[in-house]
Amino acid sequence: MNPGDIVPLSFHGGLVALSFLMAALGSYVALLAAVGIRTEMQDGEIRIGYILIGALAMGGVGIWSMHFIGMQAQELPFSVGYQIGLTALSFLVAAGFSGWAFWYVGRERFTFMRCLVGGLAAGLGVAAMHYVGISAMRMPAVFIWNLPMVVLSVLIAVIAASAALWLAFNTRNELQRVAAAILMAIAVCGMHYTGAAAGTVVCTTPRDFSSMQIGGVMLPYIAFALSAVMLLVMRWHLQRASRRFRARLAQRIDSIIESAPMVEPGRAPGSTLGPG
């Protein structure tokens, strides 16, 4: 294409599907972490491990990996690289805001207002991650932004994040978590592809970039492989934590039973054993 030409908006269907799968997997593991946060909140403490898992699963996999796979899904007539510093910053933004939202909502009794505050922060983090990630792109083209579409994408991110937090702290069984993960994936992908539609790609003359870059056609598959390994590790850790919690709960129940006063047959409940 020639300088000044507009690149038509089109996507590779297989990579779009892969981006949705990453969003769903990340959301599902984040929901499992929320179960741990909710359970330990009832005991008066929240281990940082659950917050980190929620941040990495939702922000790192469900949002960050989904974003870069989704960007590679956009069919462009030239190769694209990503500046390493901004790419790393986009990861920190996604994971950091997600982790803060899980911590803020989970540290006290769940309320609608806490959900809205956490959703606002997480949604702004998602939108910031998206546009920081786009600014990391190195290619012979520039973006011309449609401001109303940009605002719409941010609004979708905030609504999606609020809904995600509500689902995370209110699902009660496996079927609900799977359904919630799918809904969260739809919301995350909806924000991303709305943001992609907000930017018109206009070709320029070839440009030289001095900063270090990563990229290439293998990027989405590398992101998928690394994310899958990370999710498996987090899932294993959550299973171990769940077994530890059940063991502690069983010990508490045993100690309560052992410390309960014995009642002699024929005596009224609450009376103690003594001389006949």
Side-chain angles (χ1 to χ4, degrees), residues 123-212:
L124 293 177
V126 171
M129 179 272 135
H130 178 83
Y131 291 106
V132 170
I134 287 180
S135 69
M137 297 175 72
R138 298 294 180 259
M139 59 185 181
V142 294
F143 283 94
I144 297 178
W145 296 103
N146 181 326
L147 184 57
M149 289 290 287
V150 171
V151 173
L152 177 61
S153 70
V154 175
L155 182 61
I156 291 174
V158 171
I159 294 173
S162 300
L165 286 173
W166 189 91
L167 291 168
F169 287 92
N170 286 279
T171 52
R172 300 295 175 183
N173 56 55
E174 190 69 13
L175 182 61
Q176 289 180 345
R177 279 191 287 273
V178 171
I182 292 173
L183 288 175
M184 289 166 66
I186 292 173
V188 170
C189 289
M191 180 273 152
H192 172 85
Y193 290 108
T194 300
T200 300
V201 181
V202 181
C203 294
T204 64
T205 56
R207 296 185 291 168
D208 292 327
F209 300 99
S210 58
S211 57
M212 294 183 62

Side-chain angles (χ1 to χ4, degrees), residues 16-95:
V16 170
L18 183 61
S19 70
F20 179 85
L21 177 62
M22 292 312 304
L25 290 174
S27 299
Y28 176 75
V29 175
L31 289 171
L32 293 178
V35 173
I37 294 172
R38 188 172 65 226
T39 301
E40 295 211 338
M41 179 185 66
Q42 296 171 354
D43 286 349
E45 62 173 344
I46 300 178
R47 283 187 173 81
I48 192 65
Y50 285 116
I51 302 296
L52 290 175
I53 289 175
L56 291 175
M58 191 71 252
V61 177
I63 297 171
W64 188 83
S65 292
M66 177 272 148
H67 167 86
F68 284 100
I69 294 173
M71 290 309 302
Q72 198 67 24
Q74 187 169 349
E75 295 179 336
L76 299 172
F78 38 72
S79 61
V80 178
Y82 293 90
Q83 199 268 340
I84 291 180
L86 288 173
T87 301
L89 176 61
S90 68
F91 177 88
L92 294 176
V93 168

